[in-house]
Amino acid sequence: FPNININGYTGFGVPGWMPLNRVEESYTTTHTLRAIRGKHNLAFGFDGVLHKLTHWSPHLGFGPRSNFNFNGGVTSNGSFSNFNGYTAFLLGLPNLIQKSI
């Protein structure tokens, strides 16, 4: 959901809140040891696996969800009020749209 700011009102939506970099790691190990004395069969081993996910989130600035600002400039006759911003929001006429790429 994009971040929406209306002049004179509390904004709503999802601002860029996620971290820039996130690293998720998990380790998996397998151990094997075997010894058979008849005919001298000897085996041993180790298997280690690191699963690593490095995730980059482009949630800087205004984020990939974008940002809409409604200040009422398109619905005012020179005087700004809270109702002008709300009217611009209802009409879907933002004065500024921003998005981080």
Side-chain angles (χ1 to χ4, degrees):
F1 195 74
N3 192 26
I4 297 176
N5 298 310
I6 302 172
N7 186 31
Y9 297 93
T10 304
F12 60 95
V14 180
W17 57 269
M18 293 185 69
L20 172 63
N21 289 313
R22 183 176 60 213
V23 178
E24 298 177 8
E25 296 179 345
S26 66
Y27 301 94
T28 304
T29 60
T30 304
H31 311 275
T32 303
L33 176 63
R34 181 176 53 203
I36 299 173
R37 291 182 179 83
K39 298 288 184 179
H40 308 288
N41 189 358
L42 176 66
F44 60 91
F46 170 79
D47 182 24
V49 179
L50 166 63
H51 301 278
K52 187 172 186 178
L53 171 66
T54 303
H55 181 72
W56 174 72
S57 299
H59 299 263
L60 291 176
F62 299 101
R65 295 181 190 100
S66 69
N67 183 48
F68 294 88
N69 290 334
F70 299 90
N71 72 353
V74 295
T75 59
S76 69
N77 58 359
S79 62
F80 289 98
S81 71
N82 294 350
F83 300 113
N84 290 333
Y86 185 66
T87 304
F89 169 71
L90 291 177
L91 292 173
L93 299 171
N95 68 308
L96 180 64
I97 300 173
Q98 297 171 315
K99 182 177 181 176
S100 297
I101 298 176

